[in-house]
C-alpha cells in the first residue's frame, strides 16, 4: 500500500509541470499610439506621394502652388527616413530636406537633416524633438529639444526655440488618406504655422535621392 501511495505521488508530481505548460499564455500587450503611428508610416515604405502647401502664411508665399513630393525612402524596425522634395522650376527641385522618425525608449523622435546641393550639411541640421505625450495613431507632436534650441541660438534663430513639429498619417484604406507635416510656434513667439499635406490614395513616381543621399 505504501509503495502504491508513493507511485501515485510521483505521478502527480510529473503531471504538474505538464499542466503548467498547458495553461494559457499571458496576452500580448496592446500597441501604444506611437507604435501604431510608426506602423502606419512603415506601410508607406518605398513609395512616394504628391502634396501641396496647406497653410497660408506670407512667410511661405513662395511655396504656394508648387509641386511637392514625400518619399518614404529608407525604413527599418526603428527608423524611417522621408526626403521632402519641393519644385523650384520646370526641371529644378530643392532636395535639401529629410525627415527622420525613430523609436526611442519613451516614444518617437523627429529629426531634420538639411543638406546643400553639393551634399554638405547645413549649419543648422539634426534639429527636432521627442514626443512628450502618447499622441494618437493619427497624429504625433514633437516639441523642440535642448540640442536644437542650442543650435538655433548659435545660428541666430531665436524665434525657433519654441518650435513644435507634428506629423499626421491616416489609417490605411481610407479614400481621403493623407500624410501631413506641420510646424507651429505659439502666438507669444510669432504665431508661425507651416503645413504641407500629401495625398496617400495614389503613389507617384519615386524621385531622385535627396542631396547627399
Amino acid at each position: 500500500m505504501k509503495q502504491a501511495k508513493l507511485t501515485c505521488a510521483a505521478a502527480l508530481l510529473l503531471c504538474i509541470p505538464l499542466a503548467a505548460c498547458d495553461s494559457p499564455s499571458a496576452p500580448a500587450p496592446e500597441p501604444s499610439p506611437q507604435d501604431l503611428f510608426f506602423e502606419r508610416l512603415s506601410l508607406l515604405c518605398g513609395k512616394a506621394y504628391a502634396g501641396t502647401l496647406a497653410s497660408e502664411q506670407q512667410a511661405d508665399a513662395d511655396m504656394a502652388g508648387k509641386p511637392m513630393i514625400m518619399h518614404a525612402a529608407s525604413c527599418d524596425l526603428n527608423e524611417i527616413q522621408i526626403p521632402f522634395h519641393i519644385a523650384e522650376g520646370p526641371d529644378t527641385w530643392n532636395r535639401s530636406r529629410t525627415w527622420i522618425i525613430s523609436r526611442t525608449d519613451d516614444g518617437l523622435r523627429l529629426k531634420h537633416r538639411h543638406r546643400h546641393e553639393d551634399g554638405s550639411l547645413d549649419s543648422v541640421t539634426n534639429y527636432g524633438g521627442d514626443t512628450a505625450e502618447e499622441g494618437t495613431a493619427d497624429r504625433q507632436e514633437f516639441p523642440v529639444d535642448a540640442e536644437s534650441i542650442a543650435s538655433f541660438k548659435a545660428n541666430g534663430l531665436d524665434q525657433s526655440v519654441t518650435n513644435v513639429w507634428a506629423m499626421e498619417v491616416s489609417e490605411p484604406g481610407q479614400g481621403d488618406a493623407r500624410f501631413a507635416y506641420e510646424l507651429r510656434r505659439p502666438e507669444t513667439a510669432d504665431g508661425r504655422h507651416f503645413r504641407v499635406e500629401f495625398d496617400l490614395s495614389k503613389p507617384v513616381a519615386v524621385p531622385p535621392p535627396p542631396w547627399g543621399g
Side-chain angles (χ1 to χ4, degrees), residues 79-92:
E79 183 180 278
I80 299 172
Q81 296 191 16
I82 304 177
F84 172 40
H85 307 260
I86 306 172
E88 293 189 331
D91 300 305
T92 306

Side-chain angles (χ1 to χ4, degrees), residues 131-200:
T131 51
E133 299 178 356
E134 275 199 343
T136 69
D138 299 305
R139 179 181 171 92
Q140 293 289 323
E141 296 187 351
F142 307 87
V144 63
D145 61 21
E147 177 189 22
S148 304
I149 290 173
S151 174
F152 290 148
K153 287 183 175 180
N155 287 276
L157 299 173
D158 290 359
Q159 74 277 10
S160 298
V161 301
T162 56
N163 281 4
V164 177
W165 296 275
M167 284 186 166
E168 297 176 7
V169 61
S170 299
E171 184 178 359
Q174 295 182 355
D176 59 350
R178 70 182 181 187
F179 170 86
Y181 167 91
E182 181 180 284
L183 162 66
R184 282 189 181 274
R185 289 197 282 266
E187 292 298 332
T188 52
D190 60 4
R192 187 80 171 92
H193 177 217
F194 173 79
R195 182 181 174 90
V196 288
E197 296 180 354
F198 300 84
D199 179 6
L200 299 183

Side-chain angles (χ1 to χ4, degrees), residues 68-89:
M68 299 177 178
I69 294 175
M70 59 147 297
H71 175 208
S74 173
C75 310
D76 61 32
L77 293 177
N78 295 304
E79 183 180 278
I80 299 172
Q81 296 191 16
I82 304 177
F84 172 40
H85 307 260
I86 306 172
E88 293 189 331

